Amino acid sequence: MDLHPTEDQRMLADAARRFLADRHPLAVARAAAGKPHEARLAQWREIAGQGWPALLAPAEQDGLGLGMREAWIVAEAAGRHLLSLPLAANMVLLPTLCAADAMGPAARWAAAVMTGDAYFADVVMRPDGSAFIEGAGEGVRALSARRMSATALRLELLAPAPGSAGLDPTMPVARVVRPQVLDSIDLEVAPGTWERLRTRLRLLRSAELLGAASAVLEMAAAHARERRQFDRAIGANQAIKHRLAEDWMALDDASLAGVAAVAAHDAGAASAERDSLFAPLLAVEASRRAAQNAIQVHGALGVTWECDAHLYLKRVLRLAASLQAEVSRAELLERIWESGDGRLAA
């Protein structure tokens, strides 16, 4: 399996970084929680104009018909620029919406996302019936997907909830004790659809996590080259340069594991399910350490509002918590261990 990017994939990576650097700089991310719905929707229209929400949707249903390898590239760029919209969740769910009845509400929801007329906040339903919503805001409806059986999913459209700054001020969130369901549909799906949805979302969250951690590592390395103490750059000290080098290697290992996982996913390889376990495990550990070390390299400056490093730290901590809340480190290790002889835990 060739893990080297194709020319088209390199062009996609360059285009994504240029677009986000121009249209979603860190100043925009800082103001995300207080931004009105119209401004956020205008950003979504620009992103939809790039075709990113429809990247995984089939071409015969107006999508781009690309694979997880391309989605990984876009999600990583989104993390690098602290995109304040729930792009990964919409990308993952859109193919399922497109596969629904062409005359039903799911198809209309899909069309609105692809044309840029709407996007859906991401929902995590809690055992007590409450909902935790990422990307919340006035006028932003949330879409929840639940597994009802091996071949059935239930999609619930929730009423908008005001968003506020949580742990990560660049992504407005909301916690709704009793969410109001505006519409609900049950979909008959192929066996394994639910597992594929969750795996795709974990992989794209891992890509976003690695993008944010790589950006803050580069920021820390630049600071270490420029900040001088005792008439020399602090990066000349082994305690700093070795730590930064170790963080770079850990992030590179996690990135390679993620690229291998999405390549196996696209190829339908027998190892795809097992490969997908390594990416979130390595990404969480490497990204969290790299972001925390970046704050240490910046010293007292790193925790100030003026320094962008702390924004990346909070994005990394939020994504890491999201990944571990769904599948803990201990569970990932157990499933990797049990898959050593070709079997996966149920």
Side-chain angles (χ1 to χ4, degrees), residues 33-236:
K35 188 174 298 182
H37 173 58
E38 293 76 14
R40 292 171 63 80
L41 187 57
Q43 284 184 339
W44 183 261
R45 288 195 183 101
E46 291 182 340
I47 289 175
Q50 300 295 310
W52 296 345
L55 195 147
L56 295 173
E60 58 271 19
Q61 292 168 319
D62 298 326
L64 296 187
L66 298 176
M68 281 292 291
R69 185 77 180 270
E70 289 77 15
W72 175 279
I73 290 170
V74 172
E76 188 176 21
R80 178 174 288 273
H81 294 277
L82 299 181
L83 182 65
S84 56
L85 294 167
L87 176 60
N90 281 262
M91 276 200 298
V92 166
L93 196 54
L94 194 57
T96 300
L97 296 179
C98 290
D101 179 11
M103 301 302 293
R108 294 195 297 273
W109 299 344
V113 170
M114 287 193 287
T115 58
D117 292 331
Y119 65 89
F120 298 111
D122 186 35
V123 183
V124 176
M125 299 301 298
R126 301 285 179 78
D128 61 359
S130 65
F132 181 75
I133 304 174
E134 290 186 351
E138 296 287 352
V140 182
R141 297 174 297 175
L143 190 60
S144 167
R146 289 192 290 167
R147 181 181 185 271
M148 306 306 292
S149 70
T151 59
L153 297 180
R154 174 167 295 169
L155 302 180
E156 292 181 335
L157 190 64
L158 307 183
S164 60
L167 169 64
D168 176 6
T170 67
M171 178 64 78
V173 298
R175 184 177 182 272
V176 183
V177 176
R178 294 181 178 84
Q180 178 187 357
V181 178
L182 301 177
D183 200 354
S184 175
I185 58 174
D186 291 324
L187 298 179
E188 289 295 324
V189 295
T193 297
W194 172 252
E195 289 75 13
R196 183 166 60 254
L197 284 173
R198 302 315 303 173
T199 296
R200 285 182 166 185
L201 186 56
R202 282 196 300 272
L203 288 172
L204 294 189
R205 285 193 185 279
S206 299
E208 187 180 349
L209 181 60
L210 289 169
S214 296
V216 76
L217 176 61
E218 292 171 9
M219 191 181 299
H223 181 77
R225 289 191 294 268
E226 296 169 2
R227 179 77 168 97
R228 301 184 70 84
Q229 287 183 345
F230 305 110
D231 202 30
R232 70 172 188 171
I234 63 173

